[in-house]
Amino acid sequence: MSQLHIEIDRLEHPLDVVERLASLRDWIFDRAEADEMSVSVSGKWADYHISFTWIEDVEALHVACAFDLKVPDRRRQDVLQLISRINEQLWVGHFDLWSGENVVMFRHALLLAGGADPTQGQCETMLRVAVEACERYFQSFQFVMWAGKSAKDALDAVLFETEGEA
């Protein structure tokens, strides 16, 4: 099956929208290449390193959000089991273990097929969803890696919600 290649003229590069958003929000960012951009965001549990990448072949704006939490080899299987359980909870995006660096990251992509342009709202939502997912599940990775908890126990602990007031 041969691949059909169609030239699309865009009004602006999709990462231009992300760059403008980062400037407006006073976020620390770096755009060293035309198709790649990184943004740094401080969260409650960690500093998040967010990479936006434009993938021309599939017309997708990809976001990857990583945090400084290197998985020791002895805990790799437990973390992979936790990732599987977390991903069952997610409606948008997913967590991966980047095997080259043994780093956990959240990933998601916005498809812009046919020359669609991303909006500022879409880009902001991609970043927000990535950071919120990392914030919500960060402690579960800590519980598995450093406290020796099972994936189920770690996930139960972070998903436990209280109601009312004491």
Side-chain angles (χ1 to χ4, degrees):
M1 182 169 148
S2 65
Q3 202 172 25
L4 180 62
H5 183 72
I6 300 172
E7 287 291 323
I8 303 289
D9 285 332
R10 294 183 180 278
L11 296 175
E12 67 179 335
H13 194 289
L15 285 180
D16 291 346
V17 178
V18 180
E19 186 172 345
R20 199 167 38 255
L21 175 65
S23 293
L24 288 170
R25 300 286 190 266
D26 291 325
W27 293 333
I28 298 169
F29 70 93
D30 179 40
R31 187 166 175 190
E33 298 188 28
D35 292 338
E36 293 181 22
M37 180 177 165
S38 61
V39 179
S40 296
V41 176
S42 294
K44 181 178 179 182
W45 304 112
D47 290 333
Y48 300 107
H49 312 288
I50 303 163
S51 297
F52 284 90
T53 306
W54 172 243
I55 306 168
E56 182 71 38
D57 295 353
V58 292
E59 295 180 86
L61 183 59
H62 178 264
V63 64
C65 183
F67 39 87
D68 290 328
L69 192 67
K70 193 160 180 147
V71 178
D73 287 335
R74 72 186 192 303
R75 302 303 294 174
R76 184 178 176 81
Q77 282 307 117
D78 298 312
V79 169
L80 288 170
Q81 186 176 28
L82 175 62
I83 287 171
S84 178
R85 286 180 176 267
I86 290 171
N87 286 341
E88 290 174 359
Q89 307 290 317
L90 298 175
W91 286 95
V92 176
H94 66 280
F95 279 94
D96 273 335
L97 180 59
W98 186 23
S99 58
E101 300 291 324
N102 273 352
V103 174
V104 174
M105 69 173 56
F106 176 86
R107 296 175 45 181
H108 177 53
L110 175 64
L111 297 177
L112 298 166
D117 291 314
T119 66
Q120 181 175 315
Q122 287 171 315
C123 295
E124 192 164 20
T125 298
M126 286 181 74
L127 188 136
R128 181 181 49 79
V129 165
V131 171
E132 285 177 357
C134 290
E135 285 282 280
R136 179 163 191 166
Y137 296 105
F138 179 84
Q139 287 186 303
S140 66
F141 291 105
Q142 291 277 351
F143 291 155
V144 166
M145 290 184 351
W146 310 123
K149 299 282 186 196
S150 70
K152 181 187 180 319
D153 290 344
L155 192 56
D156 288 347
V158 299
L159 295 180
F160 180 77
E161 294 188 25
T162 58
E163 292 185 24
E165 296 180 26

